[in-house]
Amino acid sequence: MKLRKVTAAAAAAVVLSLTATACGGDNDKNDSGSGSGGGDKIKIGIKYDQPGLGLKEPDGSFSGFDVDVATYVAKELGYKPDQIEFVETKSADRENALARGDVKFIAATYSINDERKQKVDFAGPYLLAHQDLLVKADSDISQGTDLNGKKLCSVTGSTSAQNVKDTIAPKANLRQYGGYSECLAGLQSGAVDALTTDDSILAGFAAQDKYEGQFKLAGLKLSNENYGVGVKKGDKETADKINAALEKMVSDGAWQKAVDDNFGPASYKNEPAPKIGAIVK
């Protein structure tokens, strides 16, 4: 094999090119965060339409339990609140957002299950919720009600409505919308009979001032939902750091404060903080 001689000018060009590439690499920190702290910004996936959990307020700020958890975790990873960029991550796009590197991690009522673990890794769990139904205050739907033929709403990408069909009402009519706010509007108008998802999410909606007295929880515990923090598949380093942050959040009282601040107004009876890695089936 013949080797070509490298002239001094060519060598200098190579050095300059490498130097420019190294300098330009700093811009990568603006994408999803390095996960080791010290980056310019970290992008975190949350929901924008879940009161009490992940909500974008009219003034552009964010509130909710997931937001508080994400902010605490980001702090432990080395990021200040003004270095956090919250990115709306809908249920149907969570795995893709992590695979594409759109966000560093996701805290968005993201239940840990075997199917999802094939595509992403999880830290946590950090909250144990249960699937329930939200119905109108004067509805006769309650525990033991025959839901066959009833119109049940949930969001695209969620397993909640399908779980109702698989377990108690195979002839229920499923309506899947893009967001929970659309389901709530359908429930309010009578287009659907019930909105089904986790009790924590439903409690957040029912507690809003504008819906005071209009809705109630049916009181069904149809499943155990172990909320985890999703990270890109194979990113064990970030998952381990997040687990350490979650443990600290529980031990220093910040976890319970976040529960009280976000779910207290709805009289939501939460489960105790789960142990890291302990999945309740």
Side-chain angles (χ1 to χ4, degrees):
M1 181 174 66
K2 293 183 179 180
L3 297 176
R4 292 184 295 176
K5 292 183 179 179
V6 179
T7 66
V14 171
V15 171
L16 287 172
S17 175
L18 291 173
T19 301
T21 301
C23 293
D26 290 341
N27 292 330
D28 292 342
K29 295 178 182 177
N30 290 319
D31 291 334
S32 58
S34 64
S36 58
D40 294 336
K41 186 180 295 185
I42 184 169
K43 291 185 178 181
I44 302 173
I46 62 167
K47 295 291 181 65
Y48 274 21
D49 64 346
Q50 292 181 353
L53 286 150
L55 182 68
K56 185 174 183 180
E57 302 284 0
D59 64 0
S61 63
F62 299 92
S63 66
F65 181 71
D66 282 346
V67 173
D68 289 348
V69 169
T71 301
Y72 189 100
V73 168
K75 178 194 70 174
E76 294 301 305
L77 294 180
Y79 295 92
K80 298 177 182 178
D82 62 1
Q83 292 177 293
I84 298 172
E85 180 180 342
F86 288 117
V87 178
E88 183 176 23
T89 312
K90 294 188 176 183
S91 296
D93 196 44
R94 287 180 295 206
E95 288 83 19
N96 290 333
L98 288 169
R100 292 191 302 259
D102 295 347
V103 293
K104 189 64 178 177
F105 65 83
I106 293 175
T109 58
Y110 203 179
S111 297
I112 301 170
N113 62 39
D114 292 338
E115 181 180 354
R116 288 170 178 162
K117 286 195 290 186
Q118 300 300 312
K119 302 175 182 178
V120 303
D121 286 338
F122 285 99
Y126 64 90
L127 185 73
L128 176 60
H130 305 285
Q131 185 185 343
D132 202 347
L133 300 178
L134 188 69
V135 297
K136 284 190 173 182
D138 59 356
S139 172
D140 59 359
I141 295 177
S142 61
Q143 201 163 12
T145 299
D146 183 3
L147 296 174
N148 285 306
K150 299 292 186 181
K151 298 183 289 292
L152 302 181
C153 187
S154 194
V155 301
T156 304
S158 172
T159 59
S160 297
Q162 189 61 48
N163 188 44
V164 171
K165 289 202 68 167
D166 291 344
T167 57
I168 60 174
K171 294 183 180 179
N173 297 319
L174 303 187
R175 306 291 173 87
Q176 298 190 63
Y177 295 162
Y180 291 108
S181 296
E182 297 170 54
C183 277
L184 197 65
L187 180 60
Q188 190 176 36
S189 69
V192 298
D193 299 306
L195 161 55
T196 182
T197 187
D198 305 348
D199 52 9
S200 56
I201 299 172
L202 298 175
F205 279 115
Q208 294 179 95
D209 291 341
K210 62 182 178 180
Y211 297 129
E212 184 177 359
Q214 293 188 39
F215 306 112
K216 66 181 181 181
L217 289 168
L220 285 67
K221 289 190 175 182
L222 299 175
S223 68
N224 295 316
E225 304 298 333
N226 301 268
Y227 290 175
V229 178
V231 300
K232 189 173 184 177
K233 189 69 177 175
D235 191 358
K236 185 177 184 301
E237 179 183 2
T238 298
D240 288 346
K241 289 179 178 179
I242 293 174
N243 279 331
L246 294 174
E247 289 179 333
K248 183 178 178 181
M249 188 177 185
V250 172
S251 65
D252 69 11
W255 184 90
Q256 187 60 53
K257 183 179 185 303
V259 169
D260 295 340
D261 289 347
N262 293 291
F263 299 132
S267 299
Y268 171 69
K269 294 176 174 58
N270 65 283
E271 300 279 2
K275 300 292 184 183
I276 298 299
I279 306 300
V280 179
K281 298 294 187 181

